[in-house]
Amino acid sequence: MSQERWQSPLGGMRIVEIGTGISSGYAGKLFVDAGAEVIKVEPPDGDPLRSWSSTGPVPTGATGALFTFLAAGKASVVGVVDDPAIRSLLLGADVLIDDGRLDVDGLRGDEPRLVIASITPFGRTGPLAGRPGTDFIVQAECGSIAARGTLDRPPVQAGARIAEWAGGLYAAAAALAAALGVRNGADGAFIDASWVEAMTISTNLFADPLWSLMTALMGIEPSGPARTVETPSIYPTADGWIGFNTNGPQHAEAFLRLIERPDLIDAGYVMASARTANREEFDGWVREWTTQHTTAGILALAGPMKVPTVRVNDGATVLAEEQLVARGFYERSADGTCSVPRPHYRIDETRPPSARPVPALGADAPIDRKVPERPPVSKRRPLEGRKVLDVTCWWAGPSNTQILAAMGADVIHVESIAHADPMRYAAAVMFLDRDRWWELSSFYLGINTNKRGITLDLNSPDGVALLERLVEWADVVVENYTPRVMPKFGLGWDRIHAVNPRAVMVRQPAFGLDGPWADRVGFAQNMEQMAGMAYLTGHPDGEPLVPRGPGDPLGGAHAAFATLTALALQDRTGVGSLVEVPLIEGSLNITAEPVVEHSAYGRMLERDGNRSAHCAPQGLYACVGEEQWLAVSVADDEQWQALVGVLADPSLAADRALDSLAGRRAAHDRLDELLRVWASDRSLDDALEQLVAAGVPAARLADPRVVHAHPHFIARGFFEETPHPVVGSLPLPGMPFRMTGRGRWIDAPAPTMGQHNAEVLGGMLGLSDDEMARLTEAGVIGDRPVGS
């Protein structure tokens, strides 16, 4: 299907983006890609990103490369929110994207059916609301930093400003769901999205539930530092870096054969616990092998052996990735100044059009728009009445359908007793001596809430026939296997479309449905390695580190946005479509900055430990006691003056070079030493009290294993006590945003295996008790994994 046939699924929808920065900009960009009209309201001197570069000055008269990526295709209006013309513009929108400055109550009082998505570091409620926050401080508060690194060095942040991108992404998905709901009889909504909750979902989703489970079932409390690194993960090669991921024993065994150490299989190194206990020696063995091979040579060996392996890319090498080149993923911006990622999905083999121009500041006038006719409110939730058949596993696919379920869709998750969702086995091995141990995976429990669950063996004609009857029922079918799997069952797009021409089919392969890497296996860590997140994470003199997880949940959120876009098209045409959302392409979009920087200016973004290009000073400083880390991140000149006042060092006040970010960056070593000395003889509580009272962004490192007890998360109700028939009650995170009309997000725990077989197969499809018994005897359905 050619681009000329792109149908602009969100055509006729108006979005007004009132915020500045990455979060608001990325949320607005996602709507532009899908065909919505997006009007960016800027202050008189413009969004600061217009003149921003992370690697050096923007040439005189040029537009910042990151802004070029985020603002392409938008209109630009100059004004402030209390201007009558701007207020009229706001009230005529379908969705408002805000960074915390809007009078939400006033706007919703005048137009109750508005959807307003506010994206801030901590959200609009809770004890941290309104406090200045940066990506670094948010990572400290949610436990992300404390979880990452080796014990001989301080913990280290995830690079690439993931919290800001994630906040915008989740807000956009929620806002689109709410806007479609308004079109179909739901009320307007205020979505209060926070970076801190988005970052918790992205990099620290499972540590807390896992430890809660271990404490409840085994009486084990977390102790010692929380930080660890994966092994195997990233290693030097003869000409670069290579990244591995071993999610299960089969991958680990194949990996040991790849590095020509089959002896380590019998020695127990298939188990992650053995590798971790002897990490330094194990990593030495791996380096000894990888450094004797080129990156390309290792990739050629790993592919046939099905070891999840990728090149660890920077902002230059990613442009030459053969899979991305084959799929034409990168293109030049409309003004030709930089290379930019294309939108992260295809609908009916067509990407949304891109390479659109960037608006000049104030190029457009605020044009009033009559509020479109909306049906009376008849639904409690935006996706109420939508039906989703969830044939997914692991993390990214279930994350997509979990968002749809939270927004009110009826989601039926399908697995089989012969091939259960592998996420059931993640972190459940420690419970193998317990009855129904497969129900004790905190990973599975955390990403399958609000769904019904059935079992069907799709290697059986009976299983396929029953699934096709559910396809007839569904509005959406979602799967995330490698591209060959569903066609092998006879359930490719052609068959799904023949069975139900109205159904949308969403496919979430790792690398795409076509191209030389189509059938390669890849997981979240591989996406972080390949996209460049890992290259930006870690200490400058050390190996890159994976941020640990964001590839999957953010891949799921990207897929949810694409799914909702296809539902908008379905609403208009009555016909379903094939949606392809490769896991890697979402990660590449939120790691656009190193690519646009290098292609525009020839300058490389590098990992810099706990420092950042946009804040200085920034880092971790040890206070009195063991592992008492103080996080400080100064984002602007006003905060710097506040820090100068706290430190009470006359030399800082007298040094005019420190009045600018560039000057403070140049003097970072000196400032780090001053802060180190200042913190070293203070308690963490005392240091925090002084800094926060002065308005300096600061935080203690939260322990990721018990972050559900963070007062901010308690106040916002982010973690919800969720009763489960096998586990008991477990604190699980809901959505990374609050929304009017939803006190709790989790109405039902993740389903036990086959829990809803009778309800769905017997009740919905009308199978008799005898038929159910026959299918159980044949192993087509059941409630226990084979061999358990």
Side-chain angles (χ1 to χ4, degrees), residues 185-235:
D187 206 351
F190 170 50
I191 296 155
D192 177 15
S194 75
W195 302 358
V196 71
E197 289 163 339
M199 196 63 180
T200 305
I201 294 286
S202 299
T203 62
N204 187 32
L205 176 61
F206 299 127
D208 186 292
L210 172 61
W211 276 97
S212 293
L213 200 60
M214 291 172 63
T215 300
L217 298 183
M218 304 171 72
I220 301 175
E221 298 281 353
S223 62
R227 62 187 176 279
T228 58
V229 294
E230 291 73 18
T231 183
S233 186
I234 296 173
Y235 302 92

Side-chain angles (χ1 to χ4, degrees), residues 540-712:
D541 57 348
E543 292 169 345
L545 300 175
V546 291
R548 186 171 284 165
D552 269 337
L554 299 186
H558 276 107
F561 190 91
T563 302
L564 293 163
T565 297
L567 282 174
L569 191 59
Q570 180 194 71
D571 286 346
R572 193 168 77 218
T573 66
V575 179
S577 51
L578 172 63
V579 184
E580 176 195 4
V581 196
L583 190 58
I584 185 60
E585 293 183 2
S587 291
L588 291 164
N589 265 272
I590 65 172
T591 320
E593 189 170 19
V595 173
V596 300
E597 287 282 320
H598 185 266
S599 59
Y601 313 122
R603 303 187 298 243
M604 190 71 72
L605 261 177
E606 302 283 356
R607 61 188 169 280
D608 202 10
N610 285 317
R611 295 179 180 179
S612 296
H614 58 289
C615 297
Q618 177 175 287
L620 297 180
Y621 308 97
C623 292
V624 173
E626 290 295 318
E627 294 290 319
Q628 296 294 294
W629 295 106
L630 168 69
V632 176
S633 179
V634 174
D636 59 37
D637 298 342
E638 182 179 350
Q639 293 168 7
W640 166 246
Q641 294 301 326
L643 178 60
V644 169
V646 172
L647 297 180
D649 185 327
S651 69
L652 297 178
D655 191 341
R656 297 275 68 87
L658 301 178
D659 289 346
S660 70
L661 173 62
R664 296 192 293 276
R665 286 275 292 163
H668 216 304
D669 288 347
R670 171 191 167 200
L671 299 180
D672 274 347
E673 179 61 16
L674 287 170
L675 279 163
R676 184 194 68 77
V677 171
W678 181 83
S680 65
D681 61 357
R682 285 173 169 78
S683 71
L684 181 53
D685 286 341
D686 177 56
L688 270 177
E689 183 179 355
Q690 291 185 61
L691 292 168
V692 170
V696 178
R700 72 175 66 241
L701 288 198
D703 188 329
R705 300 166 295 188
V706 291
V707 77
H708 72 273
H710 193 302
H712 188 69

